[in-house]
Amino acid sequence: MTHEDFEHVYEYAKQWVLEAGALIRDKIDTPMTINTKSNPKDLVTTMDKETERFFVQRIKEQFPDHLLLTEEGYGDDIVSMDGTVWIIDPIDGTMNFVHQKSNFAISVAIYHNGIGQIGLIYNVMDDILYSARKNSGAFKNDTKLAKLKNDVTLEQSLLGLNHYWLCANHLVDERVMQDLVRTVRGVRTYGSAALEFAYVAEGIIDGYLTMNLSPWDIAAGVVLVNEVGGITTTITGDSLDMLKKNSIVACNSCIHPKLIDDFLKKGQK
Ligand code: 2AM
Ligand code: CA
C-alpha cells in the first residue's frame, strides 16, 4: 500500500469512528442488555456488539480484501498479521460505559504486514479524537501532540496502573509492585486501556502499566505512543505481539529502562 492508500483508508476510518461515536451518544440513555463473558466482571452490552457490526459491515463493503481482528467476534479468524488488518475494540472501558456512561473509547487500528499505520482512539462522550498515522505524528482533535519528555525520573512520574497485577496469575511479585507505587509520584486508574495509551501520548501521564491485555485494547494506542517518541513493550521489555495477549508498558523513553530493570524484571516470578 502506498502513502496515498493509507490516507484514503484513514479518511474512511476517521469518518466511521465519528459516526459510530455519534450513534452511541444518541443511544446512551436507552436501556440495553448487559451480559458477562469470561467472568462476572467481564461485561459486554448490545452496544459493544452493534458498534462492532457497524465497523465490520462498512469495512467489508469498502475494503473487501482487508481483515478484521475484533473483540466481540464479528471479525475474521486472524492467524497472521500479513496484509491489511483492522484491530478494533468497539467499546474499550465497557465497565465505565455501563457504570458511568463516560470514560470509554472506540479504538481502531490499521496494521499492514504487522506494522501499525493508523491509530484512532475516540473518547466518545467528550468528543475527543486522538489520531496518528505512521511518520505523520499524533493529534488530539486538530492539535498536534508534542514529542514526549526525555528528562523525567521515575520518582517524578505519574503512572497509569490498575489492580490487574493481582489477577494476572501474579506475573510480578506484589511487593515489587508496592515498591513501585511508593517510588513514583502518583498513580491513576482510568479503566480504559485505549484512553490510558492516549494519555501517555498526550504526556498527561508518564507511563501506563498493565498485565494482560488483548490486541484490540492496545493496537491503536501503540501507534499513537510510537508517533510521539514513546516506547511500548511487554513488562520484560520485549516486543508486543498483536496475535496474543500481552503485558504492557507504554511510557516515555526516560523512565522505561528503570521501570523494567529495577522493578518489573526483578519482580518476575
Ligand atoms: P474492555 O473494557 O474492552 O473489556 C480496564 O482497566 C481496561 O482493561 C479496559 O481497557 C478493559 O477492556 C481491559 N480489561 C478488561 N478486563 C480485563 C482483565 N480481566 N484483565 C486485564 N484487562 C482487562
Ligand atoms: Ca471492549
Side-chain angles (χ1 to χ4, degrees):
M1 295 234 289
T2 64
H3 180 72
E4 285 69 34
D5 292 334
F6 286 122
E7 289 301 302
H8 176 69
V9 174
Y10 170 79
E11 289 306 326
Y12 275 99
K14 181 178 168 186
Q15 183 191 321
W16 291 334
V17 165
L18 295 175
E19 270 178 45
L23 289 172
I24 295 174
R25 280 196 301 274
D26 283 350
K27 291 191 184 170
I28 193 90
D29 288 322
T30 54
M32 60 190 84
T33 311
I34 302 161
N35 289 311
T36 59
K37 293 195 285 189
S38 59
N39 65 66
K41 297 175 186 168
D42 188 5
L43 307 180
V44 62
T45 71
T46 40
M47 190 60 79
D48 296 68
K49 295 177 182 176
E50 258 179 53
T51 304
E52 184 165 310
R53 281 199 299 260
F54 172 97
F55 283 102
V56 174
Q57 279 162 5
R58 278 159 186 76
I59 295 162
K60 287 290 175 196
E61 193 180 308
Q62 190 68 36
F63 303 110
D65 56 334
H66 291 189
L67 296 166
L68 286 113
L69 176 56
T70 59
E71 177 162 23
E72 310 304 345
Y74 300 104
D76 298 297
D77 195 8
I78 300 284
V79 290
S80 135
M81 288 298 287
D82 291 348
T84 304
V85 181
W86 295 59
I87 308 180
I88 298 181
D89 190 342
I91 297 182
D92 183 68
T94 301
M95 201 178 287
N96 288 351
F97 172 71
V98 168
H99 285 256
Q100 305 178 335
K101 295 185 181 178
S102 62
N103 304 320
F104 61 89
I106 298 173
S107 176
V108 172
I110 299 162
Y111 280 59
H112 186 67
N113 292 336
I115 297 171
Q117 298 288 343
I118 292 167
L120 294 160
I121 294 174
Y122 187 38
N123 180 333
V124 172
M125 301 314 285
D126 291 348
D127 188 23
I128 295 172
L129 179 66
Y130 295 90
S131 64
R133 277 161 286 171
K134 188 171 163 48
N135 300 327
S136 298
F139 292 79
K140 178 183 181 183
N141 289 333
D142 294 329
T143 306
K144 189 164 187 176
L145 297 176
K147 290 279 178 191
L148 296 185
K149 291 179 217 156
N150 57 13
D151 59 353
V152 32
T153 64
L154 200 54
E155 288 74 9
Q156 297 166 325
S157 295
L158 190 54
L159 275 194
L161 195 63
N162 57 52
H163 62 284
Y164 287 125
W165 86 71
L166 295 169
C167 315
N169 299 325
H170 298 274
L171 284 176
V172 179
D173 189 312
E174 199 172 335
R175 284 165 301 186
V176 172
M177 294 305 293
Q178 288 168 356
D179 193 19
L180 175 62
V181 171
R182 282 193 198 96
T183 300
V184 296
R185 186 171 279 170
V187 294
R188 297 289 183 269
T189 299
Y190 294 100
S192 156
L195 287 178
E196 303 206 53
F197 268 85
Y199 298 157
V200 172
E202 192 179 349
I204 62 171
I205 54 175
D206 300 287
Y208 172 56
L209 161 58
T210 192
M211 294 300 164
N212 195 27
L213 288 185
S214 298
W216 42 81
D217 298 314
I218 62 169
V222 166
V223 180
L224 255 119
V225 170
N226 284 343
E227 276 306 304
V228 290
I231 299 189
T232 56
T233 66
T234 68
I235 56 169
T236 47
D238 297 311
S239 307
L240 300 172
D241 181 349
M242 288 300 156
L243 294 174
K244 64 179 184 65
K245 286 194 166 194
N246 293 273
S247 63
I248 308 290
V249 175
C251 62
N252 59 45
S253 57
C254 43
I255 65 168
H256 190 265
K258 190 166 182 182
L259 192 52
I260 299 278
D261 295 334
D262 292 3
F263 290 91
L264 300 171
K265 268 191 180 167
K266 273 194 188 159
Q268 289 296 300
K269 286 186 147 186

